Structures are given as C-alpha cells and as structure tokens.
Amino acid sequence: SQQGEEDPQALSIQEGENATMNCSYKTSINNLQWYRQNSGRGLVHLILIRSNEREKHSGRLRVTLDTSKKSSSLLITASRAADTASYFCATAGTGANNLFFGTGTRLTVIP
Amino acid sequence: GAVVSQHPSWVICKSGTSVKIECRSLDFQATTMFWYRQFPKQSLMLMATSNEGSKATYEQGVEKDKFLINHASLTLSTLTVTSAHPEDSSFYICSARDPTGDNEKLFFGSGTQLSVL
C-alpha cells in the first residue's frame, strides 16, 4: 500500500498553542500535499511542497519535507478553535495521476 | 478556486436497492475524476479513477460491477452503488483536478454519507 501514516492520530491543544503533525510515506514522490477535512465534509487543499523543496510557508502553516527520511511535518502556529479538523497528508508519486492519503490527524483546539 | 459539487449529501436506502451519486465540476472541465471511500475516523481509500469517454480504472479489491462509474461528460461523473448492503454504508467523496489551474492539487466534493438499512 502506498498509504502514508500520520502521527499523532489525535491531538488536543489550547487555543493559541502550536500544533505539529507528522507524516511518513513509503515511495518516491513528486510532491506532498496537506489537506484539511471538517467532520462530514470534503477535503480542502492547504499547501503543496515539491520533492526538491525542504520548507514552505503559507500564513500560519509551515510544512517541512525530508525526502531522505520520507517524512513531512505540518505546523499550525497560534491555533484557533476554527482549526479543529482532521488533517491529511497526501503523496503524488512520480508519474502517478492520483494521490494517496495518510491516516490523518484529528486536531481539537480548545477555546 | 475550482468548485466540485457532489449530490446527494446523504442518502438512506434499503438493502438491495441501488444508489447514484453525482459529482460535477462547476467551473472547469475534468477529464479525470477520482472516487474515494472513507470509513469513520479513517483515511480516504481510492476506489476508482473515472475517465471521460472511457472505462473507469478500479483499484485492486474494488468490484467494478458493484460500483458502476460513468463519466459521460467533461463535467459529470456518477458512481452507482448497485444492490447496496449495510457493509456499503460509508462516506463517498469525489475529486478532480482543474487542468487550467494548478493541476497538482485536488478539489473535492462535499461528500455523500450513504446509510444502507
């Protein structure tokens, strides 16, 4: 299976704290993407990092990629209650048309 | 950004009946759409890749006669769960890429919660 794994499975923090989620994958990738899913809804794309990039920022999001360790991390700074959701990493293999999703991290931000 | 519309949002049906789920790209043409299945608190599992004008490509273990996919136009793909049974109860999500924009990220429909009684 090309599915990645994320940890922690669940994370609960206080509003204002930072949240870090990790993703590990198995195969060579073209890029790695992070998505957010509110309960019972579809996924929304957050950020994409290419295999030749090591770090990327977008607003309160910071993503790192270590291709030697086949891992990535998503940092959400200054969390808000509205950040409560599940977060998934997804990998696109070289030449692959589809994405394979990780197991997800359920983030709860307590007001 | 691009919008993918999925209907219905939820459906309850009796065992043995068939259910059709529609996935539309509203402001772009999608030659390829993807259908995922998600169980509670689990990840998305790719079921099949829907190709406009040709047969869908199914992932290993997914019954093509059970999950019929039709992609008759550049903006519409349908997934029909035939002779549904309680074990088919799940959250089904479609997605597509916008070929005119960033072709690497996926736009998702809002999902369909199927409950088979």
Side-chain angles (χ1 to χ4, degrees):
Chain A
S1 169
Q2 292 182 258
Q3 186 180 54
E5 291 187 4
E6 292 180 59
D7 77 273
Q9 289 188 341
L11 178 62
S12 184
I13 60 175
Q14 294 288 331
E15 199 166 32
E17 294 181 339
N18 296 341
T20 299
M21 291 159 261
N22 303 295
C23 167
S24 61
Y25 57 92
K26 299 176 183 177
T27 62
S28 297
I29 62 170
N30 185 38
N31 64 67
L32 185 144
Q33 304 178 34
W34 285 89
Y35 287 80
R36 166 197 168 124
Q37 183 183 33
N38 284 46
S39 181
R41 305 291 293 175
L43 279 72
V44 175
H45 180 268
L46 295 176
I47 193 167
L48 178 153
I49 187 166
R50 301 188 188 284
S51 59
N52 61 353
E53 297 177 310
R54 292 296 167 259
E55 186 171 313
K56 202 162 184 179
H57 297 253
S58 177
R60 293 186 295 114
L61 304 180
R62 173 178 169 251
V63 170
T64 63
L65 178 65
D66 187 334
T67 53
S68 66
K69 295 181 180 179
K70 290 186 167 58
S71 67
S72 173
S73 68
L74 171 67
L75 169 67
I76 303 175
T77 60
S79 64
R80 306 167 182 169
D83 294 330
T84 295
S86 291
Y87 292 82
F88 295 90
C89 66
T91 53
T94 53
N97 192 26
N98 53 32
L99 293 179
F100 293 93
F101 286 82
T103 50
T105 294
R106 295 189 305 280
L107 173 66
T108 302
V109 181
I110 303 167
Chain B
V3 177
V4 174
S5 175
Q6 185 173 342
H7 292 281
S9 298
W10 57 271
V11 58
I12 301 173
C13 69
K14 292 182 178 180
S15 186
T17 61
S18 294
V19 174
K20 180 185 284 188
I21 303 169
E22 293 188 348
C23 182
R24 295 179 184 273
S25 55
L26 296 187
D27 48 2
F28 66 98
Q29 294 182 331
T31 55
T32 302
M33 291 186 175
F34 304 96
W35 287 95
Y36 293 86
R37 181 174 182 175
Q38 185 181 32
F39 290 104
K41 298 183 179 180
Q42 294 189 24
S43 186
L44 281 72
M45 297 303 296
L46 180 66
M47 298 176 65
T49 302
S50 171
N51 305 299
E52 187 270 334
S54 64
K55 293 182 179 180
T57 304
Y58 289 82
E59 294 299 302
Q60 191 173 8
V62 178
E63 300 176 57
K64 61 180 181 180
D65 295 329
K66 172 79 173 173
F67 299 98
L68 299 179
I69 291 174
N70 184 282
H71 195 152
S73 78
L74 286 170
T75 60
L76 173 65
S77 174
T78 61
L79 168 67
T80 301
V81 183
T82 62
S83 186
H85 291 284
E87 58 265 29
D88 298 324
S89 297
S90 186
F91 192 60
Y92 294 88
I93 316 176
C94 67
S95 68
R97 287 191 173 92
D98 178 1
T100 63
D102 178 350
N103 197 33
E104 292 176 296
K105 65 181 181 183
L106 290 177
F107 295 93
F108 283 84
S110 55
T112 298
Q113 181 63 53
L114 171 63
S115 297
V116 184
L117 305 178

